[in-house]
Amino acid sequence: FMALAPRETIALVFLVGAVPAVAYLALRLAAIREIVAGFAAHGQPPLVPRADLPDYSVLVPLYREAPVVGQLLAAIESLDYPRGRLDVLLIVEADDAATIAAVSRRNLPPYIQMIVVPEGQPRTKPRALNYGLTFARGEFVAVFDAEDQPETDQLIKAVAAFRATGPDFGCLQAHLNIYNPASTWLTRHFTLEYTALFDGILPALERYRLPVMLGGTSNHFPRAVLDEVHAWDPFNVTEDADLGMRLARRGFHVGMLNSTTWEEAPPRYGVWLGQRTRWLKGWLQTYLVHMRNPRRLWRELGARRFAAFNLMTGGAVLSALVHPWIYVALVWDV
């Protein structure tokens, strides 16, 4: 068709592509309302008395993170939570001698312990999380990354939010943002992207009770829910997105937690490209896994949430593939 009628073919392709594009635009316009409303729209439920706070496990997977061990321990020690109820697990791989040595040199308090993951395949973050989860004793479980700087009262707020919601809430996702936005041109744009996603798009998905693809950190779960959905898929490189979908399929909702975790944006193009490639690979993997049986997925999600999943996850991959051809079409027109 491109050979016989190139202009008409391009017009038809763009017409078909406009349908999901307009739907995605509508979702982003709804997200503007969330950004304007800010955190006040979500409110903050009353805090639970400190004497009634439950055991809380924090999982921190580490791989080749020796340089930031000190920063990580400082962030953990700044958490405002009763030490007798806090259970922090630093999960390291057996062959990561540098990180094991860096942690071993520290005089860890009793509530922090290092868990060494036995050698095996696949060597992934979700496999490490699954292994670490078997040692966790908390009623609630949180996941943080090595460079994260969560607000000090985040765990207390999470307990209050879980106590205020019903049993159908399977996860609370804290807002993520960047502590090094001024480093480079790339980190400034990364900050804009994170602000739009975690302060706008994800709260809009929560408001409309649509599936939420979790961020890779600052996820808070009731331990019973993690056990029910069989925790993380060790073969998925974006285990957070996959877990968000499995929560939705089991009837659980994801809420936004009125707390922010600050993390580092990749300052160099090569680092950003590797991260973004892994994200797209994982979203494609998540899409293909859950769309293996579309009828079953439709039954479990319903028409509205089924369409949202295709739009958010399939659309993210499709838009990356289509984007270069926008420029081809522009050059063609010129």
Side-chain angles (χ1 to χ4, degrees), residues 160-333:
F162 276 123
R163 294 286 191 252
T165 58
D168 59 340
F169 269 80
C171 177
L172 293 173
Q173 169 69 66
H175 296 256
L176 303 181
N177 220 307
I178 304 302
Y179 61 67
N180 63 327
S183 296
T184 64
W185 178 90
L186 192 61
T187 60
R188 289 194 290 273
H189 284 76
F190 204 96
T191 304
L192 289 173
E193 181 182 38
Y194 258 41
T195 301
L197 177 61
F198 288 98
D199 295 352
I201 294 175
L202 294 190
L205 294 176
E206 176 199 5
R207 178 183 293 273
Y208 298 119
R209 293 295 181 98
L210 299 175
V212 174
M213 304 296 105
L214 300 175
T217 180
S218 299
N219 316 136
H220 299 258
F221 309 91
R223 170 62 184 271
V225 170
L226 275 179
D227 290 339
E228 182 174 341
V229 299
H230 308 298
W232 294 272
D233 176 3
F235 290 92
N236 195 312
V237 295
T238 52
E239 74 290 337
D240 43 353
D242 172 76
L243 183 54
M245 269 306 299
R246 285 191 287 116
L247 288 169
R249 297 184 71 160
R250 295 296 285 267
F252 291 109
H253 297 296
V254 174
M256 295 301 296
L257 179 62
N258 186 9
S259 180
T260 299
T261 294
W262 304 93
E263 59 180 27
E264 183 181 20
R268 298 187 305 278
Y269 175 76
V271 178
W272 172 87
L273 181 63
Q275 181 190 70
R276 194 54 54 109
T277 302
R278 179 177 60 82
W279 287 359
L280 285 171
K281 173 185 174 182
W283 291 337
L284 177 59
Q285 185 180 7
T286 298
Y287 183 78
L288 294 175
V289 165
H290 289 280
M291 284 293 288
R292 282 184 299 194
N293 190 333
R295 290 184 179 180
R296 179 181 174 186
L297 184 64
W298 181 295
R299 287 196 307 268
E300 293 177 352
L301 293 181
R304 190 169 60 93
R305 297 197 299 164
F306 177 86
F309 167 67
N310 278 273
L311 185 66
M312 293 296 296
T313 308
V317 177
L318 182 63
S319 64
L321 296 174
V322 169
H323 192 79
W325 296 100
I326 302 292
Y327 299 111
V328 172
L330 178 63
V331 171
W332 181 279
D333 260 6

Side-chain angles (χ1 to χ4, degrees), residues 91-124:
I91 310 168
V92 299
E93 297 288 344
D95 67 339
D96 189 1
T99 303
I100 292 175
V103 175
S104 300
R105 284 194 295 268
R106 301 282 175 164
N107 185 21
L108 298 179
Y111 64 91
I112 302 178
Q113 61 176 313
M114 178 172 62
I115 303 295
V116 179
V117 182
E119 292 189 13
Q121 295 297 325
R123 184 175 299 171
T124 58

Side-chain angles (χ1 to χ4, degrees), residues 5-78:
R7 186 171 296 276
E8 290 78 3
T9 301
I10 291 175
L12 179 61
V13 168
F14 274 82
L15 179 63
V16 173
V19 176
V22 169
Y24 199 37
L25 175 61
L27 178 63
R28 288 175 176 263
L29 290 174
I32 293 177
R33 171 184 175 180
E34 303 300 324
I35 294 176
V36 172
F39 296 159
H42 300 89
Q44 175 58 47
L47 299 180
V48 176
R50 296 185 73 85
D52 298 332
L53 290 172
D55 288 350
Y56 214 122
S57 294
V58 175
L59 308 183
V60 187
L62 304 172
Y63 188 62
R64 297 178 178 174
E65 301 284 7
V68 299
V69 166
Q71 172 188 316
L72 166 64
L73 292 177
I76 291 173
E77 290 171 1
S78 70

